[in-house]
Amino acid sequence: MMIDPPIDKLVDKVGCKYALVCLLTKRSRYLLDKKAEMLEAENERAVSHAAHEVYDGKVEARYEDD
């Protein structure tokens, strides 16, 4: 269970829980593909790192108009 950062705060930053899931999934996959060594060095999981990036404002959801 993720405690830090709080999920309700992450949902507030992104707008809805479904967008949050999509954002964390995409960012986690990117981190696993491109930054695996960094994650191993920091002994951190990709999802946790992505959640911290969203919480800190380093990664934001981008919505496209139809």
Side-chain angles (χ1 to χ4, degrees), residues 24-59:
L24 290 179
T25 301
K26 286 185 177 187
R27 184 61 181 167
S28 296
R29 286 183 184 156
Y30 173 83
L31 290 170
L32 287 171
D33 289 343
K34 306 292 184 184
K35 306 283 184 175
E37 299 84 23
M38 176 198 65
L39 293 173
E40 288 180 23
E42 294 180 5
N43 197 23
E44 189 172 28
R45 295 184 181 264
V47 174
S48 296
H49 191 83
H52 283 284
E53 288 181 337
V54 171
Y55 188 74
D56 293 339
K58 296 177 182 177
V59 176

Side-chain angles (χ1 to χ4, degrees), residues 6-17 20:
I7 292 182
D8 58 334
K9 302 280 186 187
L10 292 172
V11 171
D12 290 343
K13 288 188 172 278
V14 175
C16 79
K17 60 184 172 183
L20 175 62

